[in-house]
Amino acid sequence: MLGLDNAGKTTIVKKIMNEDVNTASSSKQLSMRGDVGGQKTLRSYWRNYFEKTDALIWVVDATDRLRIDDCRDELHGLLQEERLSGASLLVFANKTDVQGCMDETEILQGLQLKAIRSHRWHVLRCSAITGENLREGLAWVVEDAKARLFLY
Ligand SMILES: Nc1nc2c(ncn2[C@@H]2O[C@H](COP(=O)(O)OP(=O)(O)OP(=O)(O)O)[C@@H](O)[C@H]2O)c(=O)[nH]1
Ligand SMILES: [Mg+2]
């Protein structure tokens, strides 16, 4: 699970693990449970972080219109990575409990998702606070990756 800083990655992991989402994270850098910090200084480490990967969950802050271009560039750059070839891509448009956040059309356009032909992708709005769609998203990546594994 990757994405820009503040997107909500750690909060999503906590919610899925049934932890209190209101307490501050113990580490802003590396969580051993599946998400890595997204601050600019940490982004170069993303590539050290994964081996051959079956699924990437990309978390976008749907309230952060100012950084949607930055977010798109980081995502498209990452998808060039050899070890991600063939991986299923789930885009979580997070924080959709917040009024006025970007809708699916804005996310699709902002991230230029339709230009992605190298990966099977799916976009879902979600909220790490309410838990909306978190399990559905995980179910999609698992099913999609599984379907591909059986082809080999
Ligand atoms: N309203 C709302 N706030 C959220 C949601 N998810 C996360 N937040 C808040 O957004 C802030 C950043 O969340 P984090 O989970 O720390 O973000 P992160 O992606 O792990 O950030 P880095 O570790 O810096 O890369 C925190 O204040 C969270 O409480 C959400 O779904 N809705
Ligand atoms: Mg974090």
Side-chain angles (χ1 to χ4, degrees):
M1 177 149 54
L2 293 173
L4 301 190
D5 51 295
N6 207 49
K9 299 176 296 296
T10 302
T11 314
I12 287 174
V13 173
K14 281 182 171 175
K15 184 71 179 179
I16 290 168
M17 307 291 281
N18 272 322
E19 288 174 30
D20 182 1
V21 291
N22 295 311
T23 53
S25 337
S26 50
S27 165
K28 285 303 276 179
Q29 297 195 353
L30 177 71
S31 143
M32 300 313 287
R33 301 175 302 183
D35 70 304
V36 190
Q39 295 165 58
K40 227 170 187 133
T41 48
L42 296 173
R43 290 180 206 166
S44 57
Y45 294 107
W46 286 353
R47 286 157 179 79
N48 303 332
Y49 165 74
F50 50 82
E51 299 289 334
K52 176 81 184 93
T53 297
D54 295 313
L56 171 66
I57 300 176
W58 183 257
V59 184
V60 190
D61 180 345
T63 70
D64 192 357
R65 285 189 174 81
L66 285 177
R67 294 201 301 165
I68 194 73
D69 289 350
D70 191 11
C71 185
R72 177 202 59 220
D73 292 346
E74 293 288 353
L75 173 61
H76 285 258
L78 192 64
L79 292 178
Q80 308 289 316
E81 193 64 38
E82 174 102 31
R83 284 163 295 171
L84 281 177
S85 70
S88 309
L89 169 66
L90 173 70
V91 176
F92 261 151
N94 189 36
K95 308 198 188 180
T96 49
D97 57 290
V98 179
Q99 282 273 315
C101 69
M102 290 182 273
D103 62 17
E104 192 165 324
T105 312
E106 269 184 284
I107 298 282
L108 278 170
Q109 283 195 346
L111 297 182
Q112 298 270 294
L113 290 178
K114 289 187 175 158
I116 298 174
R117 311 218 179 275
S118 50
H119 295 73
R120 293 167 56 86
W121 57 268
H122 185 61
V123 58
L124 264 186
R125 38 184 292 125
C126 77
S127 166
I129 301 297
T130 67
E132 181 201 1
N133 272 341
L134 298 184
R135 285 178 194 286
E136 290 79 355
L138 291 186
W140 181 84
V141 278
V142 168
E143 281 309 308
D144 197 73
K146 213 162 75 181
R148 203 182 41 251
L149 290 176
F150 283 121
L151 291 175
Y152 294 132

